[in-house]
Amino acid sequence: MLDDAVRPSAGLAVRCARALLSPWSRLALLVLVLAAAATTVLLLEPQRLLADGLPHRIGGGAAVVLFGVAYGLCTAAFVPRPLLNLAAGAIFGSQAGLPSALAGTVLGAGISFGLGRMLGQDALRPLLRGRWLKAVDGQLSRHGFRSMLAIRLFPGVPFAAANYCAAVSRMGWLPFLLATGLGSVPNTAAYVVAGSRAASPTSPVFLVAMAFIGVSGLGAAAVAWRKRHRLGGRAAAPRGRTAEGAGQPAPDRTA
């Protein structure tokens, strides 16, 4: 009788463990984590602490490292990167602000990618049934490094959206982080330089940095427009070939 009492409790524990570790439970946990992070950002505004308080109190190399860590956590919590890049330039200047901002960019991307890969991929991949979703997933899965490099080089795609889309795809960790680090250099440098010269907005360096930001934004819009038609054509091609093949008679193999 003792064995009969133990077996149902053990079976219940196994079922509860499976339910808690199921893809949908992990996806729900991811949604809760992201909602809590976004709420914290809205209430506490950590970007103001970075710009006005903590780095000035610490100073030196420790402040640069601390800013990079806080930058990564803030980007994972949906703080806009341009604000953080401007703050990095205003606080540390271009020489120390750029490496701190780049390190924070890679850290924040890695946190988001890891959360999406561990908690969201298994639940979301079966939902990739739309034509556009399949095309984007195929592009990221087959050509992960160059696709992510293009996304980072040309601003326009939200940072968090790109991170979680890459996490749901089959892109590897190393291509994702390398493409993020390399592709984020030009745009991050432009914002950091602009932040470092914000006190003199008529200086040539500030104007060149802002012009680069504007030109890269226009280039991103043009590339996105061309890529939209290209992805749409690739997604529609299999359907067209299937319909074309369905209208043809089967080859005669009796000869």
Side-chain angles (χ1 to χ4, degrees):
M1 295 184 62
L2 182 59
D3 292 339
D4 294 337
V6 171
R7 287 175 185 173
S9 60
L12 179 61
V14 171
R15 288 195 297 270
C16 291
R18 288 178 179 175
L20 290 174
L21 296 176
S22 67
W24 287 105
S25 296
R26 284 181 283 157
L27 179 62
L29 177 60
L30 175 62
V31 173
L32 289 175
V33 170
L34 297 181
T39 303
T40 302
V41 167
L42 291 175
L43 295 177
L44 301 181
E45 297 184 350
Q47 63 272 23
R48 289 190 176 183
L49 179 63
L50 292 178
D52 301 332
L54 203 55
H56 295 294
R57 296 174 187 174
I58 297 176
V64 176
V65 174
L66 181 60
F67 184 92
V69 174
Y71 183 115
L73 295 175
C74 287
T75 55
F78 307 109
V79 175
R81 287 183 60 245
L83 295 178
L84 297 173
N85 291 332
L86 291 172
I91 296 170
F92 302 110
S94 56
Q95 292 185 351
L98 179 57
S100 181
L102 285 175
T105 297
V106 175
L107 176 61
I111 292 173
S112 300
F113 187 85
L115 287 174
R117 179 60 55 89
M118 290 187 296
L119 300 178
Q121 187 187 49
D122 292 340
L124 294 177
R125 280 204 66 82
L127 302 180
L128 299 177
R129 298 175 183 175
R131 186 179 71 179
W132 282 95
L133 291 176
K134 286 184 177 180
V136 172
D137 175 66
Q139 182 73 18
L140 289 174
S141 298
R142 291 190 301 269
H143 310 292
F145 177 81
R146 71 184 189 188
S147 299
M148 186 54 56
L149 185 65
I151 290 173
R152 301 306 191 195
L153 283 172
F154 295 100
V157 179
F159 186 71
N163 295 337
Y164 289 109
C165 286
V168 174
S169 73
R170 301 191 186 280
M171 183 189 301
W173 277 87
L174 185 59
F176 172 77
L177 294 177
L178 284 177
T180 296
L182 294 175
S184 300
V185 171
N187 197 259
T188 303
Y191 276 102
V192 171
V193 170
S196 67
R197 298 301 181 95
S200 54
T202 58
S203 65
V205 175
F206 180 85
L207 294 176
V208 168
M210 296 304 297
F212 178 84
I213 293 171
V215 170
S216 63
L218 293 176
V223 171
W225 180 258
R226 292 184 59 187
K227 201 68 176 176
R228 172 178 175 269
H229 291 286
R230 199 173 289 179
L231 285 175
R234 289 178 182 176
R239 184 181 300 177
R241 285 198 297 267
T242 302
E244 181 182 358
Q248 297 179 354
D252 186 6
R253 301 182 182 276
T254 57

